[in-house]
Amino acid sequence: MSEYVLRSARFQAAEVLNRVIQNGDTVVDATMGNGHDTVMLAKLVGENGHVYAFDVQEMAVASTRQKLEAEGLLERVTLLCTGHQNMKMHVPVSVRAVAFNLGWLPGGDKSITTLWETTFPAINAALDLLLPMGVCTVCVYPGHEAGEKERKALAEYLANLPPQRYNILRQTFINAGPGAPECFVIQRQGA
Amino acid sequence: MSEYVLRSARFQAAEVLNRVIQNGDTVVDATMGNGHDTVMLAKLVGENGHVYAFDVQEMAVASTRQKLEAEGLLERVTLLCTGHQNMKMHVPVSVRAVAFNLGWLPGGDKSITTLWETTFPAINAALDLLLPMGVCTVCVYPGHEAGEKERKALAEYLANLPPQRYNILRQTFINAGPGAPECFVIQRQGA
C-alpha cells in the first residue's frame, strides 16, 4: 500500500517542516500553544540545534515546558512568553524555518486568539529571519471570525510578495467545507 | 542544505505521483502530450507494472512512442490515440493513479486544447477507476481562456464532492501571477 495519505492543513505543514529542517538548525515556533509542534521541532533540530518558541499565554508556556521536560528536550528550546511580533528581538540568528499555527490555544480561552494586527508584523519578522531556501509555514483556521479575517488578509498580503524573493504555495482542502484549515508555505529564494 | 524546493504545479504533481506509485502498479496518463510524464510513470510502475496513456493527437502519440522506445519502456505502456473521456473502455482494472496535465500540446497546435466538456467526463472516469487511497493529479493552466474556464469548473466541481469519498487538495502558487498553473490532488478514501 501507498504511504501517501492526504490529511489536513497541519499535516501538510508538519510534512514540509520534516523535510526542510536539518540536524543542527535553528528554527522558530511562533505559536507554541500546547507545545505539540515545539516538541516536533526540538526533535528535528537534534541536540546541536535550537528552537525559539513564542506564546503570549503563561498556560501555553507551562504546558510546553512540561512536554519538553518529559521528553528530555528542554535544553534545546528557549521558551518566550511574549508576542511573536517581537521575534526579531529574541532570535539572534537567521533560521531554517518558522512555524505558525494561528487561532486560539486548544483547550484554553477561546477569546484569546491570534489577530492579524499582530500576526502581520510577526509574519514579516519571520520572513526576514529566514535563511535562503528556508521556509515559513502558516496554518490558518477560518472556522471562526478572527481566523477568517486572518486568512483573507494573509492571502492578500502573500499574493503581492515578489516571486523573485519568495515562492508561496497555498494549500486548500477544497471539499472540506468553508471553515477548513489552510496551510501556506513560503520559501525564501536565493542562494 | 535542505532538499526541499518549492517550484511549480507540475513539480508538485510529480512529487505526489512519485510517492504514491509502487512497483507493479497500473496507472493512467490521461494526457500524454510529448510523453514526458508517460516516461516518468513507466519508470515508477517498474517492469511488472503498466501505464495506459491517452491523447487525441497522433503527433503526441508518435512523440511519446519515440521517447519510450529510446528508454526501453515501450512494453510497459499501452498508447491510445483517443479522447481520455473514453478511459473506462480501455482500462480494464482499478488503478493507483491517474495524471492529467491539461491545456495544449507543448510545441503543437495551440488551437487544440483540452476542454471542460471532455475533461469533465474524463475526470469522472478517472475517479471511478481509482483504488482506495489511489490518487488523481490534475494540473491546470489558467493562462489561456479555455484553461481558465477549466480551472473554475474543476474547482467548483471538486469542492462539491463528498469528503467521505475523496480528500481533495488544491495547490496554488499565489504570488506567481493570475495565470500561474495550479495542481489539484484527489485521493480516494476508504480501505
Side-chain angles (χ1 to χ4, degrees):
Chain A
M1 272 304 291
S2 159
E3 280 180 58
Y4 180 79
V5 182
L6 270 184
R7 278 178 282 196
S8 63
R10 67 189 184 87
F11 289 95
Q12 295 296 115
E15 198 178 291
V16 170
L17 295 167
N18 268 277
R19 289 178 58 187
V20 169
I21 298 170
Q22 313 286 308
N23 219 285
D25 279 350
T26 302
V27 305
V28 175
D29 184 348
T31 48
M32 74 177 88
N34 284 326
H36 183 267
D37 283 356
T38 321
V39 167
M40 178 187 77
L41 295 172
K43 287 179 180 169
L44 288 173
V45 298
E47 56 183 337
N48 298 314
H50 202 76
V51 182
Y52 291 87
F54 293 83
D55 210 294
V56 285
Q57 294 189 71
E58 277 291 359
M59 187 178 145
V61 179
S63 164
T64 301
R65 182 188 306 277
Q66 200 172 32
K67 277 204 181 68
L68 290 167
E69 264 172 353
E71 302 248 15
L73 297 167
L74 194 55
E75 277 186 18
R76 304 179 190 176
V77 183
T78 301
L79 295 170
L80 295 145
C81 192
T82 181
H84 49 201
Q85 67 275 24
N86 303 317
M87 200 182 291
K88 277 172 133 178
M89 300 186 333
H90 298 281
V91 181
V93 294
S94 292
V95 303
R96 182 83 70 197
V98 182
F100 283 86
N101 207 6
L102 302 178
W104 54 62
L105 178 66
D109 181 349
K110 289 194 180 182
S111 73
I112 307 174
T113 178
T114 55
L115 294 169
W116 180 242
E117 288 66 27
T118 44
T119 299
F120 175 61
I123 300 259
N124 263 301
L127 296 185
D128 285 350
L129 281 173
L130 287 181
L131 288 165
M133 304 313 277
V135 162
C136 176
T137 60
V138 188
C139 289
V140 294
Y141 297 82
H144 62 113
E145 199 183 318
E148 173 58 15
K149 199 187 154 200
E150 270 181 321
R151 171 174 70 166
K152 276 191 183 157
L154 180 67
E156 196 181 313
Y157 176 65
L158 295 180
N160 287 298
L161 290 180
Q164 298 79 9
R165 192 150 170 79
Y166 301 104
N167 195 6
I168 305 172
L169 178 63
R170 179 181 190 171
Q171 299 187 99
T172 317
F173 287 87
I174 57 170
N175 68 330
E182 291 189 19
C183 172
F184 293 81
V185 181
I186 306 145
Q187 184 166 46
R188 195 182 145 188
Q189 303 299 289
Chain B
M1 274 303 292
S2 158
E3 279 180 59
Y4 180 79
V5 183
L6 270 185
R7 281 178 281 196
S8 63
R10 68 190 182 87
F11 289 95
Q12 295 296 113
E15 197 177 292
V16 170
L17 295 167
N18 268 277
R19 289 178 59 189
V20 170
I21 299 170
Q22 314 286 309
N23 219 286
D25 279 350
T26 302
V27 305
V28 175
D29 184 349
T31 49
M32 72 177 91
N34 284 325
H36 183 267
D37 283 356
T38 321
V39 167
M40 177 186 77
L41 295 172
K43 287 179 180 168
L44 289 173
V45 298
E47 57 182 334
N48 298 316
H50 202 76
V51 182
Y52 292 86
F54 293 82
D55 209 293
V56 284
Q57 295 188 69
E58 278 291 358
M59 187 178 145
V61 179
S63 164
T64 302
R65 182 188 305 276
Q66 200 171 33
K67 277 203 182 67
L68 290 167
E69 265 172 355
E71 303 249 12
L73 298 167
L74 193 55
E75 275 185 21
R76 303 179 190 176
V77 183
T78 301
L79 295 169
L80 295 147
C81 192
T82 181
H84 48 199
Q85 67 275 21
N86 303 317
M87 201 182 290
K88 277 171 131 178
M89 300 187 332
H90 298 281
V91 181
V93 294
S94 292
V95 303
R96 181 82 70 198
V98 182
F100 284 86
N101 206 7
L102 302 178
W104 54 62
L105 179 66
D109 181 348
K110 289 194 180 182
S111 72
I112 307 174
T113 178
T114 55
L115 294 168
W116 180 242
E117 288 67 27
T118 44
T119 299
F120 174 62
I123 300 258
N124 264 303
L127 297 185
D128 284 350
L129 281 172
L130 288 180
L131 288 164
M133 304 313 276
V135 162
C136 176
T137 61
V138 188
C139 289
V140 295
Y141 298 81
H144 62 111
E145 199 185 318
E148 172 60 14
K149 198 187 155 201
E150 270 182 322
R151 171 174 67 167
K152 278 192 182 155
L154 179 66
E156 196 182 313
Y157 176 64
L158 295 180
N160 287 298
L161 290 181
Q164 298 79 6
R165 191 149 170 81
Y166 301 104
N167 194 5
I168 304 172
L169 178 65
R170 178 181 190 171
Q171 299 186 97
T172 318
F173 287 86
I174 57 171
N175 68 332
E182 292 187 21
C183 172
F184 294 80
V185 182
I186 305 144
Q187 184 166 44
R188 193 181 147 191
Q189 304 299 288

